[in-house]
Amino acid sequence: MPTGSVEDLLRPLAPQVLGALVRRYGHFDTAEDATQEALLTAATRWPADGLPEDPKAWLITVASRRLTDLLRAEQARRRREDGVAREAGRWVAPPADSVPDDADDSLVLLFLCCHPSLPPAGQIALTLRAVGGLSTAEVARAFLVPEATMTRRITRAKQRIRDSGLPFAPPAGAERAARLDAVLHVLYLIFNEGYASTAGERLHRPDLCAEAIRLARLLHRLTDDPEVAGLLALMLLTDARTPARAGPDGTLVPMAEQDRRCWRAGRIAEGTALVAATLPRGAVGPYQLQAAIAALHDEAPSVEATDWPQIVALYEMLLALHDNPVVRLNHAVAVAMADGPQAGLALLDALGADRRVADDHRRHAARAHLLELAGEPDAARVAYLAAARRSMNLAQQRYLHARAARLAG
């Protein structure tokens, strides 16, 4: 069995196995160690021995045995037999491979990671690590902090869950609503990391997008919150463009140059139907607004035929709810398409005073594009090169260098 196929299979199984262990045994931090060792064993053995009949059950069995070994070693070292016995009494649960009918272990794990006892940064970081499967380095890049800082943050979050004795069960009622905002933000970050990888050779990571969509679908089935539907719609409408985002050699293709006939019509139909069903239901949240913007892009036959004034209006509504520099950057590009490149450039230049985005490669890339539209090829080339220096994704770097080289020629 090819190694790549094994890795594709292990990605969605990892949070399910971890969830099963935590549900049965508790000990979040030790369960994660045991799960990682089981995944490593599978990645080594399955390509040579073949796929087991039930991969998830195999992983749970191996991880459970390793967890037992780790817990015994910890008990012996710390002489905590009495304390462990008392703790074990609180964990009355079905067998680890018995999944409740009304919930997925990955989703229960997601809510556990987003428990109010954790600070918001810890909630998101731990969930990206435990449920999303991102490495600590990838989580650190998502937060724009050093990897060592993120390692400490994740470690503290795991320790707090371990010490709290929280039951592994889906929240209900008011508690579910209180945790929903953090859960949605986590899924949003996981999807974004999959759709536009922050670093590495790959332009996107379909496994992360698929896992984020899977969890969003499950969450949508378990709640009628319109922002859940909005986030699912946003993911579907964005993921619909994936087949046209890269050329045969893996190079980035910007939306303006994509063959829209390659976009996934089924995703677009499902996403637009969700938008149409949720927008009339009352108060509109940020995910619904972003989904409405994505729907306008996906339904337009071309960039020129896109309803840019309506997109500008939606971004201004989004800014009123959620003013941040990335939204302002996207708003500036929309203004440029509606009112001309100089209008957008003025807004992008003003963003240069915001330290959170001033040195971001996306601002420099947007400036380069608008300068090119404005008929300033020399300035556009400098901006493309500046963006390339700041991007950590090799596919994006190649695209930005190619744009700069084309202008030089």
Side-chain angles (χ1 to χ4, degrees):
M1 184 178 184
T3 301
S5 300
V6 171
E7 293 175 353
D8 292 341
L9 178 62
L10 291 176
R11 170 76 68 175
L13 287 177
Q16 297 177 43
V17 173
L18 175 57
L21 261 65
V22 176
R23 172 164 49 82
R24 179 64 181 89
Y25 301 105
H27 303 283
F28 185 99
D29 50 346
T30 313
E32 190 192 21
D33 292 339
T35 299
Q36 291 302 317
E37 293 194 28
L39 294 171
L40 180 60
T41 302
T44 303
R45 290 177 52 179
W46 290 1
D49 299 346
L51 199 65
E53 183 176 345
D54 188 337
K56 179 180 174 181
W58 188 97
L59 288 167
I60 290 174
T61 298
V62 173
S64 296
R65 290 171 180 165
R66 182 55 183 151
L67 177 60
T68 300
D69 292 340
L70 292 171
L71 290 177
R72 284 174 178 166
E74 182 178 350
Q75 291 169 20
R77 179 167 56 87
R78 299 186 180 183
R79 300 183 181 278
R80 291 176 53 192
E81 287 85 354
D82 292 341
V84 169
R86 286 194 299 270
E87 182 178 349
R90 295 201 300 266
W91 290 93
V92 179
D97 57 353
S98 174
V99 181
D101 293 336
D102 62 345
D104 178 276
D105 272 336
S106 299
L107 190 64
V108 181
L109 181 64
L110 182 61
F111 274 108
L112 179 65
C113 292
C114 296
H115 194 274
S117 66
L118 300 177
Q123 293 172 346
I124 296 169
L126 184 58
T127 306
L128 286 171
R129 178 72 183 90
V131 184
L134 275 67
S135 69
T136 302
E138 289 168 331
V139 180
R141 283 193 291 272
F143 278 90
L144 304 178
V145 300
E147 184 175 349
T149 300
M150 186 53 61
T151 298
R152 291 192 294 271
R153 187 177 297 175
I154 291 174
T155 300
R156 286 195 299 268
K158 289 196 293 185
Q159 289 173 343
R160 185 169 294 188
I161 286 181
R162 180 195 64 195
D163 296 340
S164 68
L166 293 169
F168 190 82
E175 185 183 2
R176 177 186 293 238
R179 281 196 251 170
L180 191 58
D181 286 346
V183 169
L184 292 177
H185 187 47
V186 165
L187 294 182
Y188 181 71
L189 285 177
I190 293 172
F191 179 83
N192 282 346
E193 177 62 29
Y195 188 73
S197 300
T198 55
E201 295 187 2
R202 291 188 290 177
L203 180 63
H204 61 277
R205 298 171 61 175
D207 51 349
L208 286 182
C209 289
E211 180 67 6
I213 291 172
R214 185 186 75 82
L215 290 171
R217 283 190 191 282
L218 188 61
L219 191 59
H220 179 52
R221 194 169 75 236
L222 297 174
T223 178
D224 62 354
D225 188 280
E227 275 290 81
V228 174
L231 178 59
L232 176 58
L234 174 61
M235 292 179 179
L236 293 169
L237 292 164
T238 304
D239 186 62
R241 307 172 202 144
T242 297
R245 287 187 69 228
D249 59 352
T251 55
L252 172 66
V253 179
M255 187 188 295
E257 300 172 17
Q258 290 175 14
D259 183 351
R260 299 185 176 215
R261 295 171 297 179
C262 296
W263 289 0
R264 295 166 174 154
R267 288 272 207 253
I268 295 172
E270 185 181 0
T272 52
L274 284 167
V275 172
T278 57
L279 282 180
R281 288 172 57 184
V284 177
Y287 294 115
Q288 295 169 77
L289 289 173
Q290 291 178 75
I293 293 168
L296 287 172
H297 282 300
D298 285 11
E299 291 179 320
S302 66
V303 170
E304 294 75 17
T306 302
D307 189 348
W308 290 108
Q310 179 66 15
I311 289 178
V312 170
L314 288 170
Y315 270 123
E316 288 172 353
M317 292 176 64
L318 184 57
L319 284 169
L321 290 176
H322 192 59
D323 188 351
N324 72 60
V326 176
V327 176
R328 287 199 171 276
L329 190 155
N330 291 326
H331 171 255
V333 174
V335 168
M337 300 305 294
D339 300 331
Q342 294 298 341
L345 283 166
L347 294 173
L348 288 177
D349 289 342
L351 275 175
D354 191 325
R355 291 184 302 172
R356 295 171 296 175
V357 77
D359 215 34
D360 193 299
H361 78 277
R362 291 169 293 185
R363 189 181 78 88
H364 290 277
R367 284 192 74 254
H369 176 60
L370 297 189
L371 286 166
E372 192 175 352
L373 291 178
E376 301 182 42
D378 293 338
R381 178 176 176 274
V382 171
Y384 277 126
L385 292 174
R389 287 194 301 271
R390 289 162 173 81
S391 174
M392 293 187 292
N393 182 278
L394 296 180
Q396 292 174 352
Q397 290 175 11
R398 287 193 292 268
Y399 164 76
L400 294 165
H401 279 297
R403 299 292 291 196
R406 185 177 60 79
L407 291 176

